[in-house]
Amino acid sequence: MKIRKAVFPVAGLGTRVLPATKAMPKEMLTIVDKPLIQYVVDEAREAGIEHFVFVTGRNKGVIEDHFDRMFELDTTLAARGKKTEQDILAASQPEAGAMSFTRQQAPLGLGHAVWCARDIVGNEPFAVVLPDELVLNTPGCLKQMIEAAARLGEKSNLIAVEAVPDHLTHQYGICGVGKRDGKIFEVDGMVEKPPKGTAPSNLSITGRYILQPEIFKILETQERGAGGEIQLTDAMIGLAKAQKFYGVEFEGERHDCGSKPGFLRANIAFGLKRPELRDGLIAEMKAYLGK
């Protein structure tokens, strides 16, 4: 099962981190020195993704600009002999034609955002990557999923899952656990935010998916669910009646960068993983905490 395309839903308003996102997309908030969107694109590129599909909204044009060349900047860096900075920019520059952008004109939910990419994705399996969820690990979460998909049947769907405390399962989409093979298991049912004490497991559905194109037909007529939005989980429940779903317990630390505490935690975690920053960051933290 070849996965060539990934969909990035980036039309959200980022209300959990206001006022930072009043005029700037939350996907452009920086973790250390890179915007969130760059991290997930790098993760997808590492996994072998060839085409990057962004579902955008109003005031999101800066995301498209980020992945374009800035000739004035390139010329200035070259004139000043800043080869290191030029190399950094070149490393994040996508190939011509490798990125597509489409609009989600109304905030109708994740399922609707994925449906907006239907014509660009076409009739082939694809990945969905939520930009405000980062996974700190090598190899990345999506690469782990694509490697798992290679062991499964052609019409298989995969979701990345993570264990959460039992008393918090009502805050997440939760999947049931069927036949298991190591870190991969057959999904035995899915439920969005089950009432306390009713969750089929403690494995939550996180922001990485590999889906078959038949999901688009279901999303086309999907009724609104939780929050009055078209929920991707509801469509997956419908698709699971005809196709297999598998859960992948990925390796790595998941960081919810759409919340203020998660955003701050991610900056520290990713900073500590940078050899050139680690010692200085630890020293600054000790000095601050020692006050």
Side-chain angles (χ1 to χ4, degrees):
M1 187 165 55
K2 175 69 173 175
I3 313 298
R4 299 190 313 111
K5 298 178 181 178
V7 174
F8 302 86
V10 295
L13 299 176
T15 53
R16 289 190 295 163
V17 285
L18 282 169
T21 51
K22 179 181 178 182
M24 180 175 69
K26 69 175 179 179
E27 296 83 11
M28 291 302 296
L29 295 176
T30 55
I31 301 298
V32 186
D33 57 2
K34 289 198 302 186
L36 285 169
I37 193 66
Q38 185 68 62
Y39 281 98
V40 291
V41 166
D42 289 346
E43 178 186 335
R45 185 183 286 119
E46 177 209 24
I49 295 299
E50 301 169 4
H51 197 125
F52 308 83
V53 184
F54 299 85
V55 182
T56 70
R58 288 177 58 82
N59 301 321
K60 299 283 185 167
V62 67
I63 296 175
E64 190 168 354
D65 291 340
H66 174 73
F67 292 105
D68 200 358
R69 290 191 62 187
M70 292 185 65
F71 292 99
E72 300 89 343
L73 179 59
D74 290 343
T75 301
T76 300
L77 292 176
R80 296 178 180 177
K82 293 187 175 292
K83 183 68 164 58
T84 300
E85 289 79 0
Q86 285 182 283
D87 291 342
I88 291 172
L89 293 178
S92 62
Q93 182 69 43
E95 294 183 8
M99 293 192 164
S100 296
F101 296 82
T102 188
R103 284 284 186 115
Q104 182 187 21
Q105 287 89 349
L108 296 179
L110 177 58
H112 182 260
V114 171
W115 180 76
C116 288
R118 63 198 182 282
D119 286 339
I120 302 174
V121 171
N123 190 33
E124 60 182 285
F126 64 102
V128 176
V129 182
L130 303 192
D132 55 2
E133 293 191 18
L134 299 187
V135 176
L136 182 53
N137 194 75
T138 302
C141 180
L142 190 56
K143 185 172 183 178
Q144 295 176 52
M145 294 180 70
I146 287 179
E147 289 175 349
R151 299 164 51 186
L152 303 172
E154 269 190 19
K155 286 295 181 180
S156 298
N157 301 268
L158 292 87
I159 53 178
V161 301
E162 178 187 49
V164 297
D166 290 337
H167 68 281
L168 295 179
T169 52
H170 65 285
Q171 299 179 6
Y172 299 88
I174 300 293
C175 63
V177 180
K179 183 179 177 182
R180 178 183 284 275
D181 180 11
K183 294 287 186 179
I184 307 171
F185 61 88
E186 293 183 9
V187 172
D188 183 17
M190 290 173 274
V191 58
E192 184 68 29
K193 297 183 179 179
K196 287 185 178 181
T198 66
S201 75
N202 70 336
L203 294 178
S204 68
I205 301 170
T206 65
R208 304 289 186 274
Y209 313 81
I210 292 176
L211 300 171
Q212 297 297 323
E214 286 79 8
I215 193 79
F216 294 125
K217 200 66 178 176
I218 296 174
L219 286 169
E220 189 172 340
T221 56
Q222 181 68 51
E223 296 182 358
R224 298 192 186 196
E229 298 181 338
I230 298 173
Q231 297 290 342
L232 182 61
T233 300
D234 293 339
M236 292 193 300
I237 291 171
L239 185 59
K241 297 175 182 177
Q243 295 180 355
K244 285 279 192 180
F245 269 79
Y246 295 87
V248 180
E249 291 188 78
F250 59 88
E251 296 181 2
E253 299 174 0
R254 173 179 167 267
H255 296 272
D256 178 11
C257 301
S259 72
K260 293 175 184 178
F263 175 76
L264 294 171
R265 178 174 177 262
N267 268 284
I268 295 171
F270 278 79
L272 290 173
K273 284 292 185 180
R274 296 270 292 270
E276 76 278 18
L277 299 177
R278 178 180 173 82
D279 291 344
L281 178 55
I282 291 174
E284 292 287 352
M285 292 171 62
K286 286 181 177 179
Y288 180 78
L289 294 173
K291 286 184 178 180

